[in-house]
C-alpha cells in the first residue's frame, strides 16, 4: 500500500485556490488568473538552516495528465514572498488563464508542491517538502467573452491569507 505522506515535518500546504479578484472556479481563456496556496511552516523551520533555496512548482493537470508546470526558485530568506513568517501564501500570477492549457479548454486541476534544500555549517540537511493533498479544480472557458490579457507570469505572495481567498 502506498504511503500518503504529503509533507515533511516542518512544512505543510493547508489550502489551494484559483482566483481573479473575487471570482473563483471559472475563467475566460484570456482572463488574468492566480494559482495560490497556503504554506504553514513550523516555527523551528527558520532556525533549522544557515542557507536554503526554495523550489516551487505550480502544476496543472487535465484528466490526470500534466499539461503545464511553472517553476520558480530562489533564496528562501531573501526571495520567497512572506519569509520569515510561519503562515505564508504563494501564488503564480498569469496574464491569461489559457497559459494553463496545452490545447482546448475545460476542467483543469491545480496541485502545487514546494521543497527546500537546506544547508548548515557542516553540510546539507534533510530536504523539507510539501505537496497539496488534493487537486483544486477550475474551469477555463474557451467561449468566454472576458479577456484581453497577454502571456505573463510572476511569483507573488505574502503573509497570512490574501483578500479574496476563503478561509480554509
Amino acid at each position: 500500500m502506498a504511503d500518503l505522506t504529503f509533507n515533511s515535518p516542518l512544512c505543510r500546504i493547508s489550502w489551494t485556490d484559483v482566483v481573479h479578484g473575487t471570482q473563483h472556479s471559472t475563467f475566460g481563456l484570456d482572463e488574468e488568473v492566480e494559482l495560490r496556496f497556503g504554506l504553514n511552516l513550523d516555527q523551528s523551520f527558520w532556525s533549522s538552516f544557515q542557507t536554503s533555496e526554495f523550489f516551487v512548482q505550480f502544476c496543472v493537470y487535465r484528466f490526470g495528465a500534466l499539461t503545464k508546470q511553472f517553476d520558480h526558485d530562489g533564496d528562501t530568506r531573501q526571495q520567497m514572498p512572506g519569509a520569515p513568517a510561519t503562515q505564508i501564501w504563494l501564488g503564480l500570477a498569469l496574464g491569461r488563464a489559457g497559459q494553463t492549457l496545452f490545447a482546448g479548454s475545460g476542467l483543469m486541476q491545480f496541485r502545487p508542491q514546494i521543497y527546500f534544500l537546506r544547508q548548515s555549517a557542516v553540510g546539507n540537511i534533510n530536504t523539507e517538502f510539501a505537496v497539496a493533498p488534493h487537486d483544486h479544480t477550475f474551469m477555463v472557458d474557451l467561449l468566454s467573452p472576458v479577456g484581453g490579457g497577454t502571456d505573463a507570469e510572476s511569483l507573488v505572495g505574502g503573509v497570512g491569507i490574501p483578500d479574496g481567498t476563503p478561509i480554509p
Side-chain angles (χ1 to χ4, degrees):
M1 176 151 228
D3 184 8
L4 297 178
T5 301
F6 296 106
N7 59 276
S8 53
L10 300 182
C11 64
R12 161 179 84 79
I13 293 177
S14 56
W15 55 266
T16 58
D17 197 11
V18 181
V19 63
H20 172 79
T22 59
Q23 179 182 339
H24 303 265
S25 302
T26 303
F27 308 94
L29 189 66
D30 291 327
E31 189 173 5
E32 293 178 353
V33 68
E34 277 187 20
L35 310 175
R36 297 177 176 171
F37 69 93
L39 180 64
N40 292 337
L41 297 165
D42 189 88
Q43 187 66 39
S44 66
F45 173 81
W46 295 107
S47 61
S48 70
F49 58 86
Q50 282 187 326
T51 62
S52 173
E53 193 164 347
F54 74 94
F55 299 86
V56 62
Q57 296 174 328
F58 295 85
C59 300
V60 180
Y61 300 83
R62 183 165 186 217
F63 303 122
L66 182 66
T67 61
K68 290 287 177 109
Q69 179 176 310
F70 302 91
D71 299 328
H72 288 268
D73 60 76
D75 181 276
T76 302
R77 285 191 176 103
Q78 302 299 317
Q79 296 173 300
M80 189 171 76
T86 57
Q87 186 179 19
I88 294 173
W89 72 274
L90 295 172
L92 178 70
L94 296 173
R96 298 176 49 252
Q99 288 177 253
T100 63
L101 302 173
F102 179 70
S105 66
L107 286 177
M108 310 297 290
Q109 295 83 37
F110 161 54
R111 186 182 324 130
Q113 53 194 33
I114 188 166
Y115 64 98
F116 299 91
L117 295 180
R118 303 175 303 148
Q119 297 84 30
S120 71
V122 294
N124 292 334
I125 306 171
N126 288 341
T127 300
E128 287 293 320
F129 74 93
V131 177
H134 305 285
D135 293 342
H136 186 97
T137 302
F138 65 102
M139 172 78 145
V140 177
D141 184 0
L142 184 65
L143 303 177
S144 173
V146 177
T150 59
D151 285 1
E153 108 180 45
S154 63
L155 182 65
V156 296
V159 176
I161 299 174
D163 292 338
T165 295
I167 297 174

